[in-house]
Amino acid sequence: MFSNSSKYAIKAVLFLALHASEKNKVMVKDIANPINVPLAYIAKLLQQLVRENLVSSVRGPKGGFYLSEANLNKSVINIIYVIDGEEKLNSCMLSLKKCHEETPCPLHNVLSASRNNILNKLKNITIKELASDVNEGNSFLPL
């Protein structure tokens, strides 16, 4: 359901939520290795997220990436929308172009309620809440 790019972007954003702040910015080279994503790839993804105000950054010797309070309060689904686009999340699970409510593919009716449930959960959970779950030990992120 999610592309590798979206998964990498979510891991990077969570890394920033857990390890960076406005006073303690993190450089791309310090993110790539812990989340196991090539440096150039994660740099490109982070720039997309900066352009859409999901991640903050500062250039220069004391620069790097971090999450502002406004960034932390964005819903997780926004990351996926920026990286993959909203259409990908709503596209047919069998990649059939003509699949929709009136002409459903064989999996449409089986999976559509589950997909809608997942999308609603991603719309209603913030980056801050996911990071808090990791900090509290309710989930883990091997960083």
Side-chain angles (χ1 to χ4, degrees):
M1 186 170 184
F2 307 126
S3 70
N4 282 337
S5 294
S6 281
K7 292 176 200 176
Y8 297 158
I10 292 169
K11 287 195 304 184
V13 168
L14 286 174
F15 182 92
L16 290 171
L18 295 167
H19 299 289
S21 67
E22 193 167 353
K23 294 179 183 176
N24 181 39
K25 297 164 192 72
V26 178
M27 297 179 66
V28 176
K29 66 181 177 88
D30 298 320
I31 300 170
N33 193 42
I35 67 169
N36 195 29
V37 179
L39 183 83
Y41 196 12
I42 200 63
K44 178 183 168 205
L45 294 174
L46 285 171
Q47 286 305 321
Q48 285 180 266
L49 295 171
V50 167
R51 278 193 295 277
E52 298 296 327
N53 297 314
L54 290 171
V55 171
S56 297
S57 70
V58 174
R59 293 181 185 253
K62 293 190 178 192
F65 295 93
Y66 68 98
L67 298 181
S68 68
E69 196 62 33
N71 301 141
L72 286 166
N73 289 314
K74 301 277 183 159
S75 71
V76 175
I77 200 150
N78 290 315
I79 300 168
I80 300 163
Y81 286 165
V82 167
I83 302 301
D84 287 338
E86 196 169 341
E87 308 80 39
K88 176 149 173 73
L89 289 176
N90 296 313
S91 66
C92 175
M93 298 296 261
L94 293 178
S95 300
L96 300 175
K97 293 185 191 295
K98 295 184 180 188
C99 174
H100 50 78
E101 294 298 319
E102 289 80 39
T103 56
C105 76
L107 292 179
H108 186 91
N109 294 328
V110 174
L111 299 176
S112 117
S114 297
R115 176 177 36 201
N116 290 339
N117 185 32
I118 291 167
L119 294 177
N120 284 330
K121 286 181 186 260
L122 291 172
K123 286 177 187 171
N124 292 313
I125 191 158
T126 65
I127 295 163
K128 184 185 233 175
E129 289 171 312
L130 278 188
S132 183
D133 273 354
V134 174
N135 277 330
E136 294 169 4
N138 297 324
S139 60
F140 83 99
L141 196 60
L143 306 173

